[in-house]
Amino acid sequence: MENYTLLKVRLYDDPCLREEAKPVKDVGASERLLIQSMIYTMHQMQGIGLAAPQVGISQRIFVIDLGHGPFVFVNPVILKKEGGLAMDEGCLSMPNINVNVVRATKILVKYTDESNQKHERTFENLMARVIQHENDHLNGRLIIDYA
Ligand code: ZN
């Protein structure tokens, strides 16, 4: 983690937050640099998740850290959803706004990591919630859409 930079987080009226992000062809040096910078920016902003469109980059990448170290998701696809729970959510792109959102409590996700390894894994509870929130960003969807 040496070549990172602090990225500018776009706010809710920025059009890049409403675009459908493009699939990543291959995780190479430039993608890894972006991922490192996204993790750094997420930590600096004290967020628990950050998606590439939030820093103005239309790529299907997001990072999450619930306090146990970062997770990187490239080209994620949610294959299965179970359960439903309402909870207030915030967003780095919407400071001071909280929206009550119903999310699945258990999900099966297919994704690639920062080393180009493919995974298929089940996530539950808060991790499942944050994945669904960040995945919405890749589809141009924001929490205010649930209000
Ligand atoms: Zn968000």
Side-chain angles (χ1 to χ4, degrees):
M1 296 288 180
E2 279 164 19
N3 293 313
Y4 48 75
T5 43
L6 185 65
L7 303 167
K8 186 172 173 273
V9 175
R10 307 301 177 93
L11 299 179
Y12 63 93
D13 56 348
D14 197 306
C16 66
L17 291 171
R18 290 305 195 175
E19 285 168 21
E20 177 113 354
K22 295 177 187 71
V24 177
K25 288 195 184 87
D26 184 57
V27 184
S30 61
E31 287 75 22
R32 270 190 280 277
L33 177 59
L34 169 65
I35 288 164
Q36 287 186 353
S37 297
M38 285 173 64
I39 292 168
Y40 177 69
T41 302
M42 168 177 68
H43 287 152
Q44 288 295 307
M45 306 280 296
Q46 301 187 318
I48 56 175
L50 185 69
Q54 289 183 276
V55 293
I57 293 167
S58 180
Q59 290 201 39
R60 302 191 81 80
I61 300 174
F62 57 75
V63 297
I64 294 175
D65 191 344
L66 301 183
H68 312 289
F71 269 89
V72 176
F73 294 83
V74 177
N75 296 334
V77 179
I78 299 174
L79 300 170
K80 263 190 223 169
K81 288 186 182 187
E82 272 177 50
L85 184 70
M87 207 172 129
D88 278 355
E89 285 183 20
C91 180
L92 289 177
S93 295
M94 273 172 282
N96 309 315
I97 293 174
N98 283 290
V99 179
N100 199 256
V101 184
V102 177
R103 302 278 192 196
T105 51
K106 188 176 174 183
I107 57 174
L108 176 65
V109 188
K110 185 174 83 171
Y111 63 100
T112 301
D113 68 16
E114 68 276 24
S115 309
N116 254 313
Q117 300 295 307
K118 290 186 165 50
H119 302 270
E120 205 172 296
R121 188 173 160 183
T122 299
F123 294 93
E124 293 182 77
N125 304 315
L126 184 60
M127 191 65 187
R129 174 171 296 273
V130 180
I131 290 170
Q132 290 168 85
H133 175 117
E134 301 309 328
N135 195 60
D136 274 354
H137 278 301
L138 305 185
N139 297 320
R141 192 156 201 209
L142 299 171
I143 51 172
I144 42 171
D145 302 340
Y146 293 91

